[in-house]
């Protein structure tokens, strides 16, 4: 009995399979790709309608002199190129608001991260039985209605508010916090820190709980104290979490709007007005071209600062 071996060559169809029937059979990879796009379709549609298309439209508006009266005939608006961006550079109010926003970032981010890390460290090491209760209490400002919080803070920092009453009971004369250009900014930053330290605390606590306990036990056997363990073990192993927290907080403070708008309205004398609040005022006045240009300046600042943070912190991880 003899057997006949049929040689096979790559790229040639099997016997009895025509090119037409071969095309009818979907490949497994193509089927997986089709299923993946099917699941991505809802998100892709929402992203196109509410993010990508509005962003492209806003970029086009920033290159025109579009105003509120021109909305009925948007295609008849004159193309001005980068004139809106040049006007922003020459606008002293916008430059002042950039400095205010930079102050929000420079002061608010370290304070929020420091307070969040300290509380996370305390919850991870010293307060374990009531960890869930304290974590809920500290996270409550994040989910509290910002309008109600701003009203309470405005009452507390008024000339005859709670803070000045406490200072008066201690024999100190309280200042006009929200009416002083030098004191209003610290109050607004303090409100931002109070609202956001819970996010930093939860993220740092998750990072601390992911560190193996064997590392600390080995360090304690070698004679390392608590602070040396924090410095040489906790901080280096928390660098990825620190990177994420710093980027999130920086993006928030670069786009800060609620705190200055609700607490001081950008005053006094524009000392607490941010770039986001400037963009809102331009939009409210009908200057849609200038508003779009200011929003893209904010987007550029957020992108540049985020990239720099990733480069600086990732090089140490």
């Amino acid at each position: 009995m003899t057997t006949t071996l049929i040689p096979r060559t790559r790229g040639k169809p099997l016997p009895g399979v025509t090119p037409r029937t071969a095309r009818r059979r979907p490949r497994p990879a193509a089927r997986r790709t089709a299923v993946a796009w099917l699941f991505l379709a809802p998100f892709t549609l929402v992203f196109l309608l509410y993010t990508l298309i509005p962003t492209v439209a806003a970029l086009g508006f920033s290159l025109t002199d579009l105003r509120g009266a021109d909305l009925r005939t948007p295609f008849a608006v004159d193309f001005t190129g980068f004139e809106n961006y040049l006007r922003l550079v020459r606008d002293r109010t916008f430059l002042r608001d950039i400095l205010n926003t930079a102050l929000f970032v420079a002061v608010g981010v370290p304070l929020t991260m420091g307070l969040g890390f300290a509380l996370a460290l305390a919850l991870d090491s010293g307060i374990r039985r009531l960890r869930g209760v304290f974590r809920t209490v500290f996270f409550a400002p994040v989910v509290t209605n910002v309008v109600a919080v701003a009203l309470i803070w405005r009452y507390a920092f008024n000339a005859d508010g709670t803070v000045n009453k406490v200072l008066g009971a201690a024999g100190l004369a309280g200042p006009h916090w929200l009416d002083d250009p030098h004191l209003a900014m610290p109050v607004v930053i303090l409100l931002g820190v109070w609202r956001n330290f819970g996010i930093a605390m939860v993220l740092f606590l998750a990072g601390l709980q992911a560190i193996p306990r064997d590392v600390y036990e080995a360090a304690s056997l070698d004679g390392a104290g608590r602070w040396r363990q924090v410095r040489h073990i906790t901080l280096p192993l928390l660098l990825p979490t620190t990177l994420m927290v710093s980027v999130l907080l920086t993006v928030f403070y670069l786009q800060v709007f609620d705190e200055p708008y609700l607490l001081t309205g950008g005053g006094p004398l524009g000392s607490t007005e941010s770039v986001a609040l400037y963009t809102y005022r331009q939009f409210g006045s009908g200057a849609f071209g200038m508003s779009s240009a200011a929003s893209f300046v904010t987007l550029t600042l957020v992108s540049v600062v985020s990239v720099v943070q990733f480069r600086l912190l990732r090089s140490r991880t």
Side-chain angles (χ1 to χ4, degrees), residues 16-277:
V17 180
T18 62
R20 180 176 299 178
T21 58
R23 286 195 298 267
R24 292 177 181 174
R25 298 179 181 178
R27 297 179 179 179
R31 184 178 300 175
R32 289 195 299 267
T33 303
V35 172
W37 277 109
L38 181 63
F39 281 102
L40 288 173
F43 168 78
T44 304
L45 182 61
V46 173
F47 177 78
L48 289 175
L49 291 178
Y50 295 100
T51 301
L52 184 60
I53 295 177
T55 301
V56 174
L59 178 61
F61 292 158
S62 69
L63 304 176
T64 66
D65 59 348
L66 181 66
R67 302 190 64 86
D70 302 326
L71 289 179
R72 296 181 180 180
T73 58
F75 296 101
V77 178
D78 295 332
F79 177 79
T80 59
F82 294 97
E83 180 63 26
N84 290 329
Y85 295 94
L86 296 177
R87 290 173 59 188
L88 288 176
V89 173
R90 295 190 294 262
D91 190 353
R92 293 184 178 181
T93 301
F94 182 73
L95 297 179
R96 180 203 63 196
D97 295 345
I98 287 182
L99 294 178
N100 291 340
T101 305
L103 185 60
F104 276 116
V105 175
V107 179
V109 172
L111 287 179
T112 307
M113 292 183 64
L115 183 59
F117 176 74
L119 292 175
L121 197 62
L123 291 177
D124 184 64
S125 58
I127 312 174
R128 294 189 178 182
R129 293 184 178 181
L130 300 176
R131 179 186 298 171
V133 176
F134 282 101
R135 183 166 52 190
T136 303
V137 171
F138 292 145
F139 194 78
V142 180
V143 296
T144 305
N145 189 295
V146 64
V147 178
V149 170
L151 290 176
I152 295 174
W153 276 65
R154 288 185 63 179
Y155 173 76
F157 283 94
N158 276 335
D160 56 348
T162 306
V163 175
N164 285 348
K165 288 180 180 179
V166 173
L167 293 177
L172 301 175
H176 295 267
W177 297 93
L178 301 180
D179 296 329
D180 191 333
H182 301 289
L183 297 177
M185 177 64 82
V187 175
V188 175
I189 294 177
L190 187 62
L191 175 58
V193 172
W194 181 81
R195 282 193 63 206
N196 294 279
F197 78 89
I199 297 177
M201 180 203 66
V202 170
L203 294 176
F204 277 128
L205 185 59
L208 288 172
Q209 292 176 351
I211 299 176
R213 297 298 169 184
D214 299 340
V215 181
Y216 292 108
E217 294 176 0
S220 62
L221 291 176
D222 291 337
R226 180 59 181 167
W227 293 111
R228 292 186 64 184
Q229 293 178 16
V230 172
R231 179 181 177 183
H232 298 287
I233 297 177
T234 304
L235 293 179
L237 294 180
L238 273 182
L239 276 180
T241 305
T242 305
L243 171 62
M244 179 177 61
V245 173
S246 64
V247 171
L248 288 176
L249 293 177
T250 301
V251 170
F252 166 77
Y253 282 106
L254 282 174
Q255 303 178 88
V256 63
F257 174 81
D258 296 336
E259 287 80 359
Y261 178 74
L262 296 172
L263 199 58
T264 62
L269 302 177
S271 59
T272 60
E273 185 171 291
S274 62
V275 176
L277 190 53

